[in-house]
Amino acid sequence: MVPNTCSLQLYSPHVAIRRWTSTVANCAAFNVSSTAAQIGGFLSKKPYAPPSWASDLSLVPSHNFILGQFPTLIHKWNLPNLPKDTEVWIKRDDLAGMELSGNKVRKLEFLMADAVAQGADCVITVGGIQSNHCRATAVAAKYVNLDCYLILATSTLLVDEDPGLVGNLLVERLLGAHIDLVSKREFVKFGSVALTDLLKKRLLEKGRKPYVISGGGSNSLGNWGYIEAVREIEQQIQLSGDVQFDDIVVACGSGGTVAGLALGSQLSSLKAKVHGFSVCYNSGYFYDNVQDHIDGLQSGLNSHHIVTIEDAKGLGYAMSTADELKFVKDVAAATGIVLDPVYRCNTFLSCVTLYLISCMIVLPFK
């Protein structure tokens, strides 16, 4: 067995479309103040004050860490063959920071602050063998001086093998994360909650103080990351002066991002329609999932009234058709933006097919 790995035995970019053009929208993000840009601001822990329109929600965080490079830019995305009077804009959450880029860091800013506040000395989370969330959690944990334990699902044939040094695994192992492998069959049979609870029990028995982070960082506390993102978009729109987005499109892998965006858009002045494209599970699962998230914040809202969930699984999680891969190639050649085949490709291809609507903003995963 390779150091820091073992087999655990049982006894998861946003897009906007709009009808008209702004000459200053691309500059808006530069004008929003950024704590991360200040000397000493990055990695600092600061008191958190929610947007006024979200102040009546429950579970308002007291603090968050500054882990990402925010605000992220919003710029026009000149996709080929768009209908007349249709504009697509992209909010570049994929540029929030190299190891932490994508939608994960916004949630982890709040989750890591809570872990430290509770006196944890390590964190536990779960995901697929190449989970971006697990990689980001391993980095964030190291930033705030916590150990990291990852439960990664892989094929039954590989569960007792060295997972290798490829992709996210390389980053995680360089950081010294402790990796437990579990077969996909066991992952589905027992579920992430049972798996993390088992590991938590073992660590407690060893005198550790573990803090469990749900898959994708998606829970009611993590939702604040994208409630805060809505405030950021609001500020960028206000500074631009003449931009208004009709729709927000995002991939849906664990539900937290779309829940925060939908809730924030509904409560704030944004009022954009939020569309989540599921890369796993069916739409009914995610309507229930989003409902659980917003119920945890005591919003009093119905998930069916604040978000539209569409199926974008295609062949399945992390599997792409020839048409989807061609779409990735065509978009990269036309715009310089490379979509990943797990989240962005299926989401944006479905979006272009189903929702060629007036003015949209896309938020990319990574």
Side-chain angles (χ1 to χ4, degrees):
M1 195 64 65
V2 178
N4 291 337
T5 70
C6 66
S7 174
L8 184 62
Q9 301 299 323
L10 292 176
Y11 317 94
S12 200
H14 318 301
V15 175
I17 297 176
R18 75 180 184 82
R19 227 175 241 110
W20 26 269
T21 307
S22 166
T23 58
V24 295
N26 293 351
C27 301
F30 291 106
N31 296 322
V32 182
S33 62
S34 171
T35 303
Q38 301 170 12
I39 294 176
F42 186 61
L43 304 186
S44 64
K45 185 179 177 183
K46 67 181 183 68
Y48 178 71
S52 58
W53 41 261
S55 60
D56 290 335
L57 297 175
S58 63
L59 294 181
V60 177
S62 61
H63 291 78
N64 66 303
F65 275 108
I66 305 302
L67 302 177
Q69 300 175 34
F70 301 121
T72 55
L73 303 177
I74 298 176
H75 65 80
K76 191 182 291 187
W77 195 14
N78 295 314
L79 289 168
N81 303 316
L82 287 178
K84 183 180 179 181
D85 297 328
T86 296
E87 291 184 1
V88 179
W89 295 67
I90 183 167
K91 184 163 177 61
R92 301 299 301 274
D93 272 21
D94 57 325
L95 301 180
M98 186 177 69
E99 297 93 346
L100 283 166
S101 60
N103 64 320
K104 317 304 180 187
V105 62
R106 291 189 186 269
K107 306 171 190 179
L108 288 169
E109 289 194 330
F110 293 97
L111 294 166
M112 288 298 174
D114 191 47
V116 170
Q118 293 192 28
D121 61 11
C122 59
V123 296
I124 300 169
T125 198
V126 60
I129 190 68
Q130 285 291 343
S131 165
N132 291 335
H133 161 70
C134 288
R135 177 207 65 217
T137 301
V139 175
K142 188 62 63 175
Y143 278 163
V144 301
N145 298 315
L146 299 177
D147 289 337
C148 183
Y149 289 80
L150 304 176
I151 300 173
L152 303 180
T154 188
S155 68
T156 303
L157 294 176
L158 299 177
V159 73
D160 292 318
E161 302 294 328
D162 176 2
L165 297 170
V166 178
N168 290 332
L169 281 165
L170 174 60
V171 176
E172 292 155 3
R173 296 177 72 177
L174 283 172
L175 293 166
H178 302 265
I179 297 174
D180 289 337
L181 298 180
V182 64
S183 71
K184 292 179 182 177
R185 181 178 299 174
E186 288 177 317
F187 186 87
V188 172
K189 179 179 179 180
F190 295 99
S192 61
V193 174
L195 291 170
T196 53
D197 282 350
L198 174 61
L199 182 53
K200 179 180 179 179
K201 179 181 178 182
R202 292 180 180 177
L203 290 172
L204 287 170
E205 290 171 350
K206 294 179 179 180
R208 302 301 304 269
K209 299 176 181 177
Y211 179 93
V212 175
I213 295 174
S214 57
S218 293
N219 58 24
S220 295
L221 179 60
N223 288 348
W224 283 95
Y226 272 89
I227 292 173
E228 184 63 24
V230 170
R231 170 157 62 180
E232 184 176 298
I233 295 169
E234 266 193 320
Q235 292 173 344
Q236 290 173 299
I237 290 173
Q238 289 167 3
L239 287 167
S240 72
D242 64 347
V243 177
Q244 187 62 49
F245 299 120
D246 300 317
D247 297 82
I248 296 176
V249 174
V250 65
C252 194
S254 58
T257 297
V258 75
L261 286 169
L263 183 57
S265 183
Q266 177 70 24
L267 296 178
S268 71
S269 64
L270 193 57
K271 296 296 187 289
K273 295 184 290 292
V274 176
H275 307 268
F277 286 81
S278 169
V279 300
C280 54
Y281 307 117
N282 57 38
S283 59
Y285 170 89
F286 278 112
Y287 279 119
D288 291 343
N289 178 276
V290 171
Q291 191 65 56
D292 288 343
H293 289 316
I294 63 177
D295 283 349
L297 298 175
Q298 297 181 9
S299 69
L301 297 173
N302 186 313
S303 63
H304 289 267
H305 298 161
I306 64 173
V307 65
T308 299
I309 305 292
E310 300 284 355
D311 185 352
K313 294 190 298 292
L315 293 178
Y317 183 82
M319 294 187 287
S320 301
T321 66
D323 285 344
E324 289 164 351
L325 293 176
K326 181 179 183 299
F327 181 70
V328 171
K329 176 182 178 295
D330 291 345
V331 169
T335 72
I337 293 178
V338 180
L339 307 177
D340 77 52
V342 176
Y343 291 107
R344 302 188 209 172
C345 173
N346 289 4
T347 295
F348 298 157
L349 180 56
S350 299
C351 167
V352 169
T353 302
L354 297 175
Y355 287 107
L356 285 177
I357 40 188
S358 53
C359 180
M360 176 188 301
I361 184 168
V362 176
L363 287 86
F365 276 41
K366 186 176 180 181

